[in-house]
Amino acid sequence: MMRFVIVAFIGLAVFVLFRLIRLFLARSESHRLRNSIVYIVPIEIVVWSAYFFRSLEYLFGTRSYYDYLLTALVLAGLGLLIWFYLKDVVAGAFFRLQHNPKTGRHLQAGELEGVIRRISATHIYLDTGTGKVVRLPFSRLIGSAFSLSAHRESAQDFRFDIRVGKQWSRDETINRIRQALLLSPYCSYKESIEITIKDESPGDYACNIAVRPLSQRFGSKIEKDLSETFSSPNPSGFLAK
């Protein structure tokens, strides 16, 4: 009887352990950890299979085909782990050959859209303009609808006002603002940038700016980055990356 209790207790402990791991991964702020939850499935299959056969051996003292079955399950689990990785590598190779993605281009896949910041063998890293970089696996893009372009055609000009310290002449101030916007990953460099100094005080210029963002949701990001750049003690005229 005690052996059955021990086996049941170990099974409960394994069950709780996997539930806690899944809960931790699902609530993690790291996209990498949240995406790694797919690897739990083959690991859990192998662990539960080993638990089942070990329990039979412990309770009834028989091994039967235990060694062969466990070896096959371990190999199957490793095969699944390798497949989860290789499918993104293969999908990435086909995606790059067909679409030639590059950093700085705009990508929209379903409700997710942003500027490509980095491309790895298995993932595309998107800057969504909210301050977070999202890791998008290539396998999610293959066979699904997406848009990849230099800029989003439906985007409209975004107009805003900022105040810039009077550290340079009017022309130099306009040139520095233009340079910063052209270097921004959120602006379309193919569209014209309008910069007008509406007013000036003894300490600063009041500037009105019209720029074409890659997506309308990036407008506030452009305004925030530009304001932070020119409000710093020693503005360099470059947007923070």
Side-chain angles (χ1 to χ4, degrees), residues 57-73:
E57 180 186 358
Y58 178 71
L59 292 173
F60 306 109
T62 178
R63 296 179 65 92
S64 184
Y65 295 102
Y66 162 74
D67 291 332
Y68 301 103
L69 289 174
L70 182 58
T71 301
L73 286 169

Side-chain angles (χ1 to χ4, degrees), residues 151-157 212-216:
H151 63 90
R152 188 175 179 181
E153 297 298 335
S154 60
Q156 302 296 321
D157 285 346
R212 177 69 59 86
L214 295 175
S215 173
Q216 287 301 103

Side-chain angles (χ1 to χ4, degrees), residues 52 83 85 92 95 114 155 187 206 218:
F52 175 76
W83 167 244
Y85 179 77
F95 188 87
C187 297
F218 294 148

